[in-house]
Amino acid sequence: INPDRVLAERDPMIYGQFLEHFHRQIYGGVYEPGSPRADGAGFRTDVLEALRRLRVPVIRWPGGCFVSSYDWKKGVGKTREPAFDKAWRVEEPNTFGTDEFHALCEALDCEMYICGNAGTGSIEEMSDWLEYTNLECEGAFARQRIKNGHAQPYGVKYFSIGNENYGHWELGAKERHEWARLVAETAKLLKRVDPSVQLSAAALPDPEWNLELIQRAGPYLDWISVHEYWDAIHTTNALASYEQAMAYTEKLDESIRKVEGILAATGYLGKIKIAFDEWNLRGWYHPNSHEVQLPTDKSQYLAPRDRNDENESYQMADTVFTACFLNALLRHADSVKMANYAPAVNTRGLIYTLKDGIVLRGTYHVFDLFVNQMGESIVDLWDQDIRRMNVTAKDGRNVQVDALDAVATRRSDGRIAVSLINKHPSDAAEVSVACEGCDGAGLALHSIAADSVFAYNDVEDPDRVRIEITKPEMAGGAVRLRLAPHSVNVLLI
């Protein structure tokens, strides 16, 4: 490691989170009025405490597919009118809306990132929403916010035009020429409301889609939005095995590289930032939700969603993969300035709620390690003799991947923090870390390990996957480590 050669500065917003009105993410998740564990505003205090530990910088809301038929105006004011959510085919009570989202972000001291309805909604509806949140007192919507008891503007800094509107599954999906024009015209109106708002638009790592979008709307955009779920289990719940999940790390940053290339080719690299604002190893399980011929029997499309609550689904594959992707974000810290893990609570989230408490999944501890131990400056690291391992991908291909994934950072306190991920399912890794000018003072190794790749946290055993701290030794200018198999580690030097 050369701690004096800084490659990039990471933005803390890469550790952002995401919440959607799906299953129990909002209701029964972060928001549960009447619960003995809720505060006066209806927020679960145990969930807030856990999220504060992660110093959440930004939350993207309200979706997700949900937003593409969402009428924000029904979710503000003293009288809330329930509506039928056409995305997920359930009744939306609208008791959690824009004002509650603002209160949540204030409680967590994080930025609001609103995703607008570019599906069934209109350009004007999106700009009305920004009037409600950001104008001081001008116009009917700012005055409505004041009447609702919120005298000061919310100051929403980030606004996304749409969500996955390129996909057939999205309500109000668009062709690329339609999308480019809609984004440009929406952005024009939003900037008239608040010129300081930072705008993003739904995009793909696809040259044709992005070229048309950037050529038409590029001058208005601050961000380009990218999503990815590597293990697409939405309709099957057939989870990739540990080794199959590690096969996904072969080309983990491929989408980022493609978008970087498109931005570079159009002259926007460094001008438009990448927001990887919805990501997770695995998709959410919601069968019979996006088909052409939809079932009428709720047992076929609502009841199966409860399987997202099965903690045995969240094993070391999820933990190790999550750390690998955070490493990838750090490697691309010069272009990726925001990322939002989807979601924060329940479904495939970091935190699982139940009536009497919460369970912190292994992925939660990964965020804890990266947020609280890794540094702000990405510094030069090169490796020698990294072991390769053969794994079988979910599609049957034989894939070779590095068994070790490492990124070095420098913290503001001068210490070097190195993330070291041993992806091998069964073998420990003998690693020597040499850092120019570093000594053995304050050495610490923070590790997330478990006795099996199948390990997970649950109500009966909430700490099976956890962070443990040991003190390694330095000899001859290097720290010598033995990293447990399927482990995530941060070394402090």
Side-chain angles (χ1 to χ4, degrees):
I1 300 165
N2 182 351
D4 296 321
R5 186 164 185 263
V6 176
L7 305 180
E9 297 291 336
R10 71 106 177 92
D11 194 310
M13 297 232 296
I14 65 169
Y15 301 129
Q17 299 295 325
F18 169 95
L19 286 170
E20 178 170 354
H21 292 240
F22 173 81
H23 201 231
R24 297 195 312 113
Q25 293 177 34
I26 301 289
Y27 306 109
V30 70
Y31 186 69
E32 195 172 6
S35 165
R37 294 182 173 270
D39 62 16
F43 300 123
R44 286 278 297 253
T45 55
D46 46 3
V47 173
L48 292 182
E49 182 181 352
L51 291 174
R52 287 188 185 112
R53 167 77 185 166
L54 302 184
R55 293 185 284 161
V56 175
V58 62
I59 297 177
R60 179 171 173 254
W61 170 88
C65 294
F66 169 81
V67 79
S68 288
S69 66
Y70 178 56
D71 182 353
W72 71 269
K73 294 173 185 176
K74 292 180 179 177
V76 296
K78 292 181 180 178
T79 303
R80 306 288 177 92
E81 182 182 342
F84 183 65
D85 166 18
K86 296 180 181 68
W88 299 120
R89 301 179 68 200
V90 295
E91 183 174 84
E92 166 56 45
N94 280 317
T95 49
F96 186 101
T98 306
D99 302 327
E100 289 72 29
F101 179 52
H102 173 254
L104 172 64
C105 291
E106 274 208 323
L108 295 174
D109 191 25
C110 73
E111 295 288 349
M112 302 169 68
Y113 179 18
I114 285 181
C115 183
N117 178 358
T120 65
S122 68
I123 291 173
E124 193 167 28
E125 284 173 17
M126 283 186 272
S127 69
D128 291 346
W129 203 351
L130 195 63
E131 285 188 34
Y132 183 88
T133 61
N134 283 25
L135 289 187
E136 187 174 358
C137 59
E138 308 92 328
F141 298 105
R143 286 197 287 273
Q144 184 183 358
R145 184 199 68 242
I146 295 168
K147 183 181 177 182
N148 290 341
H150 308 280
Q152 297 303 313
Y154 293 160
V156 171
K157 190 181 292 186
Y158 307 102
F159 195 102
S160 173
I161 302 170
N163 173 80
E164 298 179 4
N165 297 84
Y166 44 76
H168 67 86
W169 57 87
E170 200 76 11
L171 299 174
K174 306 289 190 293
E175 298 294 333
R176 65 174 184 269
H177 63 279
E178 295 178 278
W179 183 241
R181 185 178 186 279
L182 177 70
V183 169
E185 295 306 309
T186 305
K188 192 187 301 180
L189 208 55
L190 291 169
K191 289 286 189 179
R192 296 292 177 95
V193 174
D194 184 353
S196 70
V197 70
Q198 296 189 29
L199 301 179
S200 68
L204 284 167
D206 173 78
E208 291 186 343
W209 180 276
N210 283 354
L211 280 173
E212 193 149 354
L213 173 65
I214 291 169
Q215 286 169 354
R216 187 122 191 190
Y220 298 103
L221 294 178
D222 305 278
W223 301 84
I224 194 164
S225 165
V226 186
H227 297 173
E228 192 156 6
Y229 296 91
W230 286 260
D231 192 21
I233 59 147
H234 309 78
T235 61
T236 65
N237 208 36
L239 306 179
S241 68
Y242 179 86
E243 290 193 22
Q244 289 169 344
M246 292 307 100
Y248 291 125
T249 68
E250 176 197 19
K251 296 179 179 178
L252 193 57
D253 60 354
E254 187 172 26
S255 293
I256 298 173
R257 290 186 184 278
K258 286 180 178 179
V259 175
E260 284 174 339
I262 294 164
L263 291 173
T266 54
Y268 278 97
L269 189 63
K271 298 176 184 177
I272 295 178
K273 302 174 286 265
I274 298 172
F276 217 111
D277 56 14
E278 195 175 327
W279 71 272
N280 201 318
L281 164 61
R282 311 186 201 274
W284 313 344
Y285 184 45
H286 48 70
N288 302 311
S289 295
H290 294 146
E291 285 74 8
V292 174
Q293 298 297 326
L294 293 170
T296 57
D297 183 351
K298 292 181 180 180
S299 67
Q300 295 182 40
Y301 65 92
L302 286 186
R305 296 174 191 174
D306 289 338
R307 296 200 63 188
N308 289 290
D309 282 339
E310 296 172 350
N311 282 316
E312 59 266 31
S313 300
Y314 306 89
Q315 302 180 355
M316 291 305 291
D318 303 76
T319 300
V320 174
F321 181 94
T322 298
C324 288
F325 190 65
L326 290 179
N327 264 4
L329 293 177
L330 291 172
R331 290 191 187 95
H332 292 271
D334 53 346
S335 59
V336 183
K337 297 295 184 180
M338 184 197 298
N340 302 78
Y341 186 82
V345 182
N346 290 328
T347 316
R348 301 214 65 84
L350 308 175
I351 302 166
Y352 168 71
T353 68
L354 58 157
K355 183 179 178 181
D356 299 322
I358 61 174
V359 173
L360 303 178
R361 291 172 173 150
T363 48
Y364 175 92
H365 297 300
V366 172
F367 270 84
D368 188 349
L369 266 192
F370 275 74
V371 168
N372 293 304
Q373 303 304 331
M374 292 293 282
E376 298 81 7
S377 302
I378 318 304
V379 298
D380 199 11
L381 172 150
W382 59 98
D383 47 52
Q384 296 173 317
D385 304 321
I386 294 297
R387 178 182 179 181
R388 302 276 284 172
M389 64 182 196
N390 290 312
V391 291
T392 301
K394 204 171 184 180
D395 61 6
R397 291 181 303 118
N398 182 57
V399 176
Q400 270 208 343
V401 297
D402 287 340
L404 185 72
D405 187 346
V407 170
T409 65
R410 190 174 69 202
R411 304 190 340 174
S412 56
D413 63 5
R415 298 173 87 182
I416 302 301
V418 192
S419 66
L420 297 159
I421 304 164
N422 181 10
K423 294 186 274 184
H424 201 284
S426 57
D427 293 353
E430 304 286 348
V431 180
S432 173
V433 181
C435 181
E436 295 179 20
C438 295
D439 57 34
L443 274 175
L445 183 67
H446 298 244
S447 300
I448 304 170
D451 54 5
S452 164
V453 294
F454 304 109
Y456 60 92
N457 290 342
D458 206 350
V459 179
E460 293 78 19
D461 194 357
D463 297 314
R464 187 178 177 189
V465 181
R466 62 187 185 276
I467 299 173
E468 294 188 340
I469 306 173
T470 56
K471 185 173 176 59
E473 294 183 356
M474 178 174 272
V479 186
R480 300 194 182 280
L481 303 168
R482 181 180 173 84
L483 305 177
H486 52 267
S487 67
V488 178
N489 310 270
V490 172
L491 172 67
L492 296 181
I493 310 176

